[in-house]
């Protein structure tokens, strides 16, 4: 897919997420098609894409589609200076991220809708640039589970694969884990989760890029 076509697709999917987020009662595919200026066939394809690629949970009832109610936090009222601080954070993410993160894209796109036109244009371009990075659905899902468990003070069960320095030995491990903190590191371009490991009964740091988990 050409770069321009890929950017157009990402922009279309992000617009669909915004449209659905503003309608708590959901919308019918025909309504979505009119609001997004696409065909109904494209709507069905895009609904599947935001569920699978952006990991946005959808509901469907009586022919209406919407985003699961408790998926979004309550709206924030930001000053221009506060919004500018987040814009700078978005630029840093674009500089150092080596793969896509759908939740980052969604957050910055929402911010863009609240910013003055000159800043909004550059923020949308930043989101589109991030969206062109390689996609790792497993990482996005693992980080989503860990973040929710951290926010709700819940325990998670994680699986990770250990490989010896020379690659001659590989083992899979399962752990019950209490997430206490998530920290991104620029040097390794990775996110690490810090928490209590019930197996070792110690505080441990795990690289979230290599984890699978369930709450």
């Amino acid at each position: 897919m050409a770069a321009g076509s890929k950017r157009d697709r990402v922009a279309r999917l992000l617009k669909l997420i915004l449209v659905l987020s503003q309608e708590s009662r959901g919308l019918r595919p025909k309504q979505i098609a009119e609001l997004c200026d696409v065909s109904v066939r494209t709507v069905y394809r895009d609904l599947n894409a935001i569920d699978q690629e952006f990991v946005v949970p959808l509901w469907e009832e009586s022919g209406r589609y919407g985003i699961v109610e408790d998926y979004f936090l309550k709206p924030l009222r930001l000053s221009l200076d506060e919004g500018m601080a987040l814009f700078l954070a978005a630029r840093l993410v674009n500089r150092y991220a080596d793969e896509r993160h759908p939740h980052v894209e969604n957050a910055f796109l929402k911010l863009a809708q609240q910013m003055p036109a000159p800043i909004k244009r550059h923020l949308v371009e930043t989101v589109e640039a991030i969206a062109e990075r390689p996609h790792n659905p497993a990482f996005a899902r693992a980080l989503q589970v860990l973040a929710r468990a951290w926010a709700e003070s819940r325990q998670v069960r994680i699986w990770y694969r250990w490989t010896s320095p020379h690659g001659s030995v590989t083992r899979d491990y399962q752990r019950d884990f209490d997430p206490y903190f998530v920290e991104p590191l620029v040097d390794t371009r990775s996110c690490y989760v810090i928490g209590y490991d019930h197996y070792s009964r110690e505080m441990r740091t795990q690289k979230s890029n290599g984890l699978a988990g369930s709450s």
Side-chain angles (χ1 to χ4, degrees), residues 28-42:
R28 298 185 183 280
K30 185 176 180 180
Q31 295 173 301
I32 298 172
E34 293 173 353
L35 290 169
C36 295
D37 194 26
V38 297
S39 68
V40 172
R41 182 178 179 180
T42 298

Side-chain angles (χ1 to χ4, degrees), residues 131-175:
E132 291 181 359
R133 310 284 164 77
H135 184 37
N136 184 351
F139 166 61
R141 172 59 181 165
L143 193 57
Q144 180 183 41
V145 170
L146 291 168
R148 185 169 292 274
W150 178 24
E152 299 175 356
S153 299
R154 295 171 59 184
Q155 184 181 116
V156 295
R157 179 160 293 169
I158 62 175
W159 292 264
Y160 66 95
R161 178 162 292 174
W162 174 86
T163 303
S164 64
H166 299 292
S168 58
V169 179
T170 299
R171 296 174 182 169
D172 292 329
Y173 289 93
Q174 174 183 302
R175 295 284 190 270

Side-chain angles (χ1 to χ4, degrees), residues 20-193:
L20 291 176
S21 70
Q22 295 168 356
E23 293 290 341
S24 60
R25 295 178 298 175
L27 293 166
R28 298 185 183 280
K30 185 176 180 180
Q31 295 173 301
I32 298 172
E34 293 173 353
L35 290 169
C36 295
D37 194 26
V38 297
S39 68
V40 172
R41 182 178 179 180
T42 298
V43 167
Y44 282 112
R45 185 168 61 246
D46 288 352
L47 286 169
N48 181 68
I50 65 172
D51 178 55
Q52 298 297 319
E53 297 179 29
F54 285 77
V55 204
V56 175
L58 300 177
W59 58 263
E60 186 274 328
E61 184 177 350
S62 302
R64 304 177 77 91
Y65 292 83
I67 295 174
V68 173
E69 184 177 0
D70 64 352
Y71 177 71
F72 293 115
L73 297 173
K74 294 180 180 179
L76 296 176
R77 296 180 62 86
L78 299 173
S79 68
L80 176 59
D81 292 332
E82 292 167 338
M84 189 63 192
L86 294 178
F87 168 77
L88 295 176
R91 297 299 300 170
L92 285 173
V93 170
N94 181 45
R95 181 180 295 270
Y96 293 110
D98 60 355
E99 62 184 24
R100 287 187 61 184
H101 194 312
H103 304 304
V104 170
E105 297 163 22
N106 294 347
F108 291 143
L109 185 72
K110 291 176 186 177
L111 172 64
Q113 307 310 309
Q114 309 302 318
M115 300 297 284
I119 301 176
K120 175 181 177 179
R121 181 176 65 255
H122 287 289
L123 193 47
V124 170
E125 290 174 355
T126 299
V127 172
E128 292 175 349
I130 295 172
E132 291 181 359
R133 310 284 164 77
H135 184 37
N136 184 351
F139 166 61
R141 172 59 181 165
L143 193 57
Q144 180 183 41
V145 170
L146 291 168
R148 185 169 292 274
W150 178 24
E152 299 175 356
S153 299
R154 295 171 59 184
Q155 184 181 116
V156 295
R157 179 160 293 169
I158 62 175
W159 292 264
Y160 66 95
R161 178 162 292 174
W162 174 86
T163 303
S164 64
H166 299 292
S168 58
V169 179
T170 299
R171 296 174 182 169
D172 292 329
Y173 289 93
Q174 174 183 302
R175 295 284 190 270
D176 290 331
F177 197 78
D178 298 336
Y180 293 156
F181 195 72
V182 176
E183 177 75 8
L185 292 184
V186 173
D187 293 345
T188 60
R189 297 190 176 187
S190 301
C191 284
Y192 293 81
V193 58

